[in-house]
Amino acid sequence: MKAGSEAILTVKGTTLSIGTTNDHKTLLGADELVINMGPQHPSTHGVLRVKLKLDGERVIGSECVIGYLHRGVEKIAENRTYQQFAPYVDRMDYVAAVSSGLGYCEAVEKLLVAEAPPRARVIRTILTELQRIASHLLWLGTHALDIGALTPLFYCFREREEILKIFEKYCGARLTTHAFRIGGLQYEAYDTLEKDVERFCKDFESRIAEYEALLTQNRIWIGRTKGVGILTAADAIAFGVTGPVLRASGVKWDIRKAAPYAAYDQYKFEIPVGTTGDTYDRYLVRMEEMRQSRLICLQAIENIPSGPIMAKVGKVLKPPPGEVYHAIEAPKGEIGYYIVSDGTVMPYRVHIRPPSFINLQAFDRMVRGHLVADVVAIIGTIDIVLGEVDR
Amino acid sequence: MADEPKEPKPPQVPTGEKPASSTPPVSTHPAKPADANAPVAPPKAAAPAAPKPPVVLQTPLDNEIVKRFRAKFGGSLLEATEDRKQAILTVDRARLAEMAMHLRDEEKFDMLADLTAVDWPKREKRFDVVLDLYSFAKNERLRLKVHAADAEEVPSVVSVWPAANWQEREVFDMFGIIFSGHPDLKRILLPDEWQGYPLRKDYDILQQDTAWVRENLGIESGQ
């Protein structure tokens, strides 16, 4: 792509479209510097390219260049039937495929004016909450690794592996699971699902304590995260930021509570919120979210209703003409599906509102005034997956 | 197969108020698991028979927000409907920015959740620009729609909700819709030099900017 052919180091004169600060007086009277970070950089979590405008070591402006992983998912959707498109959404946020899949299935169900049976909804909830834990674990491991703490990565992957094993036992796949179907589930829960989930949840409590022992009171960790990348509640709302990033800024909002879907209305859980909206708060919020997800799983396996796992939606889906927007709380924030039906077997239009893409917009606001080393911490703390940013 | 779409309609009643009405059936089912298949079927069949066989999904909308909106903007509110219990206001393109400000400040729709477009090439004004708003105070969603013909500009709402910045760029990238007043309208997902707008209906799924692919990737085709 064009990006590769551009100079890596450019002296003043390169235009930055987001917030050009030409009137900025550098600290030592030296020239401003524009450097390129990514798209091939280990801590950008994929193919994110960031143009950074620097005054010495301090960031005074930034611009994200995205699209390296664009696959035209929305165009593909218009050329597939409703069921055929379902596996594609797994390839957006590939570390939380179950959540994306749930959003899509529920959106189409809403369009069909159908609803999954209670048993399917509870099993969906269990798998989605496990996915949230898995996604947060991956985030924690890589985020800590970016900042320089190598150990948590191994611990996190150890537990994530257990979750992926449950997925594998359930549907045969570990990452791009395609676990749910429009109208319910294709597979019955396997015999020991409850036992496996219970065992994982039992172990997991002490495991979170292990991560916290490594990081929460760690002086280096606090030094690298406290006060870094502050996002105020007003800014977060203005930028449309959702998920843990919004909650860390002090906004107590979670779609699982605001507009319950699947079976969330049956379970008790808390929404953790932060106070300052810095990287450390976002860390604490996600840690607590894992605990709450664990509690939801434990409540759900207590009582999985019996009954069918699939609603009667038919083999050929022709939703009545109209449109629907359905959003769920994915691990990274609100994932929304806007689907327009013209009454045929293929959607007329599918638009996906990816949380990573929208949250990344606030990056520039968070990074200004910080050091180059903090950029890595801030990219990590937003928790983006480039497959979802670029779609 | 012709009657497929009708099948799923019956349970419309429960979907309306998910939290309230979905709880009881869940708790009752485990109580009688013996013939689990039976209890689910009858309510489905029974519900639609009585009220109205052809379920109307789109209905006119006339709530407080619409009344206040109409009082303020009059004829600029072209249509207010509800589709599957989701509110949709179709408004005049020219006054979009003004209306956005009203909805944010007076009606407390403080978050722009989503902004996108739909292409209807056979229509006189082929594009729908669709904004999904959310109000934290009311826990309510509202969809705002404007129509635009090819080459007609749509007022940008970046000054109202900064979240619109990248989303308007994406719509420009994919549909070629110009947002007047956008601070930096350029392509976002596709390369800057790309020709054509892929999400328009007349852009085939196999179509691509072959000149760009040849020049930049050094291959004949990206397929």
Side-chain angles (χ1 to χ4, degrees):
Chain A
M1 266 192 206
K2 187 83 201 304
S5 62
E6 269 189 43
I8 289 175
L9 197 72
T10 321
V11 187
K12 195 155 114 185
T14 306
T15 51
L16 265 184
S17 48
I18 302 175
T20 352
T21 50
N22 286 332
D23 52 341
H24 181 84
K25 282 225 165 53
T26 58
L27 202 61
L28 298 172
D31 278 347
E32 287 164 2
L33 203 67
V34 174
I35 64 159
N36 207 22
M37 188 170 163
Q40 281 86 24
H41 188 285
S43 71
T44 56
H45 294 248
V47 280
L48 171 67
R49 177 178 166 221
V50 187
K51 286 194 217 165
L52 294 170
K53 194 175 193 177
L54 303 179
D55 168 10
E57 184 82 26
R58 211 157 278 280
V59 179
I60 53 175
S62 74
E63 185 187 350
C64 294
V65 183
I66 57 172
Y68 294 94
L69 214 55
H70 180 62
R71 291 151 292 174
V73 168
E74 291 175 13
K75 188 74 181 177
I76 293 170
E78 292 173 13
N79 293 275
R80 298 283 182 276
T81 66
Y82 286 91
Q83 292 104 327
Q84 280 174 340
F85 180 62
Y88 284 87
V89 301
D90 289 1
R91 273 85 183 158
M92 297 190 310
D93 183 355
Y94 38 75
V95 299
V98 173
S99 307
S100 321
L102 176 68
Y104 177 71
C105 289
E106 287 202 338
V108 179
E109 283 160 15
K110 233 179 189 177
L111 199 62
L112 287 161
V113 205
E115 203 173 40
R119 180 173 172 80
R121 293 217 301 272
V122 171
I123 295 174
R124 281 177 172 188
T125 310
I126 296 171
L127 294 179
T128 315
E129 284 313 305
L130 288 175
Q131 181 74 86
R132 188 183 315 277
I133 296 174
S135 172
H136 281 4
L137 283 174
L138 185 96
W139 160 81
L140 178 65
T142 52
H143 183 43
L145 185 66
D146 287 345
I147 293 181
L150 188 66
T151 323
L153 181 79
F154 302 107
Y155 284 54
C156 292
F157 269 65
R158 180 185 61 190
E159 270 72 70
R160 182 169 172 266
E161 182 64 25
E162 294 306 313
I163 296 175
L164 299 187
K165 273 184 192 156
I166 294 175
F167 289 161
E168 192 176 10
K169 273 186 178 171
Y170 174 70
C171 63
R174 290 156 54 87
L175 287 176
T176 47
T177 48
H178 192 205
F180 309 139
R181 297 295 185 275
I182 297 160
L185 308 168
Q186 180 168 14
Y187 310 112
E188 236 332 324
Y190 64 90
D191 292 342
T192 55
L193 175 75
E194 285 124 302
K195 265 203 192 101
D196 285 356
V197 174
E198 192 182 2
R199 201 181 53 216
F200 170 78
C201 290
K202 286 247 161 73
D203 293 346
F204 192 55
E205 191 175 19
S206 60
R207 302 292 162 88
I208 301 183
E210 281 180 13
Y211 316 143
E212 293 237 44
L214 284 169
L215 295 172
T216 307
Q217 302 297 331
N218 182 323
R219 280 189 63 181
I220 302 169
W221 180 256
I222 292 174
R224 289 299 308 272
T225 55
K226 246 194 183 151
V228 171
I230 292 175
L231 191 67
T232 63
D235 276 349
I237 292 171
F239 280 105
V241 166
T242 48
V245 184
L246 175 70
R247 290 189 282 275
S249 298
V251 182
K252 198 169 184 170
W253 186 71
D254 188 314
I255 304 177
R256 289 176 293 172
K257 290 271 193 200
Y261 53 94
Y264 286 105
D265 49 342
Q266 301 167 33
Y267 308 122
K268 284 200 184 91
F269 60 99
E270 296 294 320
I271 307 173
V273 287
T275 45
T276 53
D278 60 4
T279 302
Y280 189 68
D281 269 9
R282 286 185 280 273
Y283 157 74
L284 291 179
V285 164
R286 288 199 179 94
M287 296 307 275
E288 185 54 35
E289 268 182 26
M290 286 198 274
R291 288 206 180 87
Q292 296 298 329
S293 295
R294 174 185 163 272
L295 291 179
I296 296 174
C297 287
L298 282 174
Q299 289 174 61
I301 53 168
E302 284 278 295
N303 186 8
I304 302 179
S306 51
I309 52 167
M310 193 73 183
K312 287 197 174 107
V313 291
K315 285 210 167 61
V316 178
L317 298 180
K318 285 184 180 173
E323 56 182 63
V324 77
Y325 177 83
H326 182 66
I328 67 157
E329 186 74 32
K332 294 169 180 66
E334 169 178 338
I335 184 161
Y337 291 88
Y338 174 66
I339 309 180
V340 180
S341 163
D342 58 352
T344 61
V345 292
M346 294 193 282
Y348 187 77
R349 168 100 173 95
V350 174
H351 174 70
I352 299 138
R353 180 230 194 258
S356 296
F357 175 74
I358 310 277
N359 291 358
L360 189 59
Q361 264 197 99
F363 171 76
D364 180 60
R365 181 61 55 99
M366 290 155 83
V367 84
R368 286 190 185 206
H370 287 295
L371 302 177
V372 176
D374 294 329
V375 172
V376 171
I378 293 170
I379 293 175
T381 190
I382 306 176
D383 192 14
I384 50 165
V385 161
L386 268 298
E388 190 180 54
V389 173
D390 296 342
R391 281 153 293 145
Chain B
M1 289 304 151
D3 61 345
E4 286 292 339
K6 284 171 199 152
E7 272 288 315
K9 278 176 191 171
Q12 199 205 9
V13 190
T15 47
E17 304 152 85
K18 236 185 187 174
S21 59
S22 60
T23 323
V26 178
S27 48
T28 52
H29 279 307
K32 33 183 174 177
D35 52 333
N37 287 324
V40 179
K44 271 188 186 169
K52 36 187 174 176
V55 182
V56 184
L57 296 168
Q58 286 92 353
T59 50
L61 176 73
D62 194 24
N63 59 14
E64 288 303 309
I65 294 173
V66 175
K67 283 198 183 90
R68 284 195 292 270
F69 202 85
R70 195 170 275 132
K72 183 146 194 212
F73 296 102
S76 296
L77 173 65
L78 305 176
E79 202 186 4
T81 53
E82 232 183 3
D83 189 342
R84 293 159 174 86
K85 301 204 187 302
Q86 300 185 337
I88 306 167
L89 303 186
T90 310
V91 300
D92 184 11
R93 195 182 72 253
R95 298 182 75 183
L96 177 64
E98 199 186 329
M99 289 163 172
M101 202 66 99
H102 165 78
L103 287 172
R104 187 193 68 179
D105 295 337
E106 309 298 325
E107 303 289 354
K108 306 289 174 228
F109 285 97
D110 32 19
M111 185 169 90
L112 174 76
D114 186 33
L115 189 152
T116 186
V118 185
D119 183 15
W120 304 89
K122 286 187 191 127
R123 239 170 40 186
E124 190 200 343
K125 296 199 167 200
R126 68 184 287 185
F127 296 118
D128 273 349
V129 175
V130 184
L131 291 79
D132 270 283
L133 313 180
Y134 179 75
S135 163
F136 286 96
K138 298 177 180 172
N139 188 18
E140 224 175 87
R141 286 182 191 270
L142 178 72
R143 198 171 307 142
L144 210 55
K145 246 187 211 182
V146 295
H147 301 307
D150 209 350
E152 264 182 351
E153 294 190 358
V154 175
S156 166
V157 293
V158 175
S159 54
V160 185
W161 297 287
N165 192 323
W166 284 16
Q167 306 191 57
E168 284 179 357
R169 279 176 65 188
E170 192 189 333
V171 170
F172 165 73
D173 197 357
M174 297 294 156
F175 291 91
I177 300 171
I178 309 281
F179 290 89
S180 53
H182 189 286
D184 180 32
L185 197 64
K186 60 179 183 185
R187 287 190 186 268
I188 184 163
L189 293 176
L190 294 175
D192 288 343
E193 311 81 9
W194 193 269
Q195 299 295 313
Y197 302 103
L199 279 179
R200 289 188 177 196
K201 286 285 174 185
D202 46 22
Y203 197 100
D204 187 77
I205 189 166
L206 294 180
Q207 197 178 331
Q208 57 179 313
D209 184 352
T210 38
W212 189 93
V213 170
R214 208 176 294 131
E215 188 185 325
N216 291 279
L217 304 181
I219 50 176
E220 272 311 298
S221 158
Q223 300 300 333

